[in-house]
Every structure is written in structure tokens, then in C-alpha cells.
Amino acid sequence: IEYWNLLVQNWDGVSQIPPDRWDADHYYDPDPDAPGKMITRLGGFLDRDVSLFDADFFRINPREAEYLDPQQRLLLEVSYEALLSAGIEPKHLQGSLTGVYIGICTRDYLDLITAKGNKELINRYLTTGNLPSTATGRLSYTFGFQGPSVAIDTACSSSLVAIHEACASLRNGESNLALAGGVNLILSPDLTIDFSKAGMLSPDGHCKTFDETADGY
């Protein structure tokens, strides 16, 4: 609902990089060639603590939840909310031919865990909690869906392609109902530094599509 309101009311979703992600001042430098720096302190971030998650509600034990990518946590939450908003009781879909199509491409949480260099942190939950394919599989498993379960990575168009594939699945009779969407949480500065070096990001954090002042996204 909040995202829909942002769209229809033309709100600006760009804000300062939250301090719980990384120290924006430490990584900022207006010089795009400065090593290890980014040219902006701005981005699109959720106004909430993405580490918060009701694991018990989704029958996930605390140890597994610790290794669960916040993107998967968020998908579980908003998928449940989406079904309720559609007037559908999730438990009534167990065993149904419901398809899952999710745009997902980043793995910041996995990189943050493995970057610590402690191999003892690797356990049976690390892979299942962080791979894109297991994100869609977790949705299907949690809600008991029996339709296709597909993770889609086409970069910036991933969510749109997921919706397209979901519609195609409905038309082809592969699914009787489809859950489609996308998720992307920026937890590490690495990609922002990379995109700054490639000249892809706007210093003021805003897209000015088809405008002569356009200078990135």
C-alpha cells in the first residue's frame, strides 16, 4: 500500500543512505575516479529496519532465520500481505496450482557473511537462505503452492519480466493463480561503488529520463 501511494501521489522515494547500511560520508567522493568511493550519498531505501522478522510466524527456527537473506524475509512478509489484500486466505492455497515469479538478482547478505573470512560461519542454512532460486522455492514451500516457482534476473527489468512471465503462465494454463513481484535490498556499498565507477549513477540521486540534464540513475 505504501509503495502504491508513493506512485500515485508522486512522492520522492530517494533519501540519504541509512547509517545502518554503511557510513555514507566515509565512502563519498565527488571524484568518480577516487578508489573505493561513490559519487552520491543518496539512494532508494526502505524506511524500516530490514533485519526485523517474525520467524515464528513463518515457522522458521532462530538459527535458520539468522542466515536468511533479508530479501527472503521481506518476500515472505509482503507475499502474505498481498494475498490478504487480494481477499485470499493463504492457507486456502495449499496444494493449489499457484505460480511464483520473482525478480531477484543481488546477494549482498551472503557476501557480507562470507566476507568475514570465517569458514565456521558456513552451515546448512547459508545456501538455502541466500540463493535467488531458494527465495522463490521458499515462498512455494511456505504457502504450499504447486505451480511453477521461478527466480528471474534480467537486471533492472527483473520485476517487469516476472509479471510478464506470470501472465504468460496464467494464459498457458500452467498456473491458476500467480504471485509475481520483485525484491532488491542494498546492504553493501560494493555495487554502488562499482556503478559510480561506470558512470551509471546520478550525483543527485535522481533519474531525469529523456531530459538534457540526465546524468545517470
Side-chain angles (χ1 to χ4, degrees):
I1 295 175
E2 291 179 2
Y3 181 55
W4 177 250
N5 288 336
L6 183 146
L7 294 176
V8 298
Q9 299 186 34
N10 198 30
W11 292 342
D12 189 346
V14 174
S15 64
Q16 292 282 335
I17 296 170
D20 62 344
R21 303 302 177 93
W22 62 80
D23 183 349
D25 291 333
H26 173 75
Y27 287 102
Y28 173 75
D29 194 305
D31 179 6
D33 295 322
K37 302 294 183 177
M38 59 185 67
I39 61 170
T40 183
R41 296 188 182 93
L42 302 169
F45 296 89
L46 292 176
D47 185 20
R48 55 166 287 188
D49 184 351
V50 297
S51 68
L52 298 178
F53 178 62
D54 189 350
D56 288 341
F57 183 82
F58 292 102
R59 302 183 302 280
I60 298 174
N61 72 65
R63 183 63 170 166
E64 183 175 7
E66 180 183 354
Y67 283 82
L68 190 61
D69 187 337
Q71 293 184 130
Q72 292 201 30
R73 306 176 199 174
L74 189 62
L75 280 174
L76 286 167
E77 294 169 344
V78 299
S79 294
Y80 186 85
E81 293 172 356
L83 293 171
L84 292 181
S85 295
I88 301 172
E89 176 59 50
K91 65 181 181 182
H92 294 162
L93 294 178
Q94 293 181 11
S96 67
L97 200 61
T98 298
V100 176
Y101 295 85
I102 298 295
I104 179 172
C105 57
T106 58
R107 38 175 265 175
D108 287 7
Y109 195 63
L110 176 61
D111 292 339
L112 288 172
I113 293 175
T114 55
K116 296 178 181 179
N118 187 353
K119 300 302 183 185
E120 294 179 359
L121 293 175
I122 299 176
N123 61 25
R124 60 180 177 174
Y125 299 126
L126 185 65
T127 299
T128 58
N130 289 274
L131 294 185
S133 58
T134 61
T136 54
R138 187 178 299 276
L139 290 176
S140 295
Y141 173 79
T142 299
F143 297 111
F145 301 154
Q146 297 297 311
S149 189
V150 184
I152 295 171
D153 178 5
T154 57
C156 298
S157 63
S158 297
S159 296
L160 288 176
V161 174
I163 294 173
H164 168 78
E165 292 297 327
C167 292
S169 177
L170 293 171
R171 293 192 187 99
N172 296 334
E174 296 173 339
S175 303
N176 294 330
L177 183 73
L179 184 66
V183 65
N184 181 52
L185 289 177
I186 306 171
L187 305 177
S188 161
D190 293 2
L191 279 179
T192 306
I193 294 172
D194 185 0
F195 292 164
S196 291
K197 296 293 174 280
M200 297 164 61
L201 299 184
S202 171
D204 65 15
H206 290 81
C207 298
K208 296 170 280 290
T209 310
F210 306 124
D211 191 277
E212 64 180 359
T213 63
D215 57 358
Y217 72 87

